[in-house]
Amino acid sequence: MAFNKKALLKPFKNIFVLILFVFFIWMLFFDANSWLIHRELNHEIDDLEAQKEYYKKEIEKDNKALKKLNNDEGLEKFAREEYYMKRDNEEIFIIEYEDSLKTKDDE
């Protein structure tokens, strides 16, 4: 089975096939709307869709937290847990366990 270069190059002797081949290569790689650019844009769209879903979930979580803070009990619980606030006639004792303390090695 001999390799024949003339048979391989025969379709490129036709000017229409040659122009079609050049046009295909141009559109695939060099044009402003090339396949490579479309591929990059599709990847970027996928990444943005993933970010959109993440932020939607975060918004839902924040809305739930806001609903809890709208009533007095939720607001009081948040103030006590986060800012260690207390009523006038109360005392607060903060108990920290040894494994929950940050040390110089942990930082």
Side-chain angles (χ1 to χ4, degrees):
M1 189 165 177
F3 181 70
N4 192 354
K5 289 183 181 179
K6 290 182 181 180
L8 186 62
L9 296 176
K10 188 174 182 178
F12 292 105
K13 289 183 180 179
N14 186 344
I15 189 72
F16 297 110
V17 173
L18 185 62
I19 290 173
L20 184 64
F21 179 74
V22 170
F23 176 74
F24 179 72
I25 296 298
W26 180 264
M27 292 304 290
L28 194 61
F29 297 108
F30 302 115
D31 192 48
N33 299 316
S34 71
W35 175 76
L36 297 173
I37 291 173
H38 277 283
R39 193 180 77 187
E40 288 177 20
L41 291 175
N42 285 336
H43 285 299
E44 189 174 335
I45 288 171
D46 292 340
D47 292 341
L48 290 173
E49 289 290 334
Q51 284 183 356
K52 180 180 171 182
E53 291 300 318
Y54 168 76
Y55 287 123
K56 279 185 178 180
K57 289 178 184 176
E58 288 295 314
I59 288 171
E60 288 177 17
K61 188 174 82 171
D62 290 342
N63 283 336
K64 288 179 184 177
L66 281 174
K67 285 181 182 177
K68 288 181 183 177
L69 293 176
N70 279 339
N71 60 21
D72 290 335
E73 292 175 7
L75 189 60
E76 183 178 348
K77 179 180 177 185
F78 179 77
R80 287 174 177 267
E81 290 176 357
E82 295 296 321
Y83 296 109
Y84 305 115
M85 292 185 165
K86 64 182 185 88
R87 293 188 179 142
D88 291 333
N89 58 354
E90 292 180 335
E91 289 187 26
I92 295 179
F93 297 98
I94 300 173
I95 301 172
E96 294 181 348
Y97 295 102
E98 190 173 318
D99 59 347
S100 67
L101 296 175
K102 289 186 178 181
T103 60
K104 290 182 182 179
D105 296 334
D106 294 338
E107 294 175 354

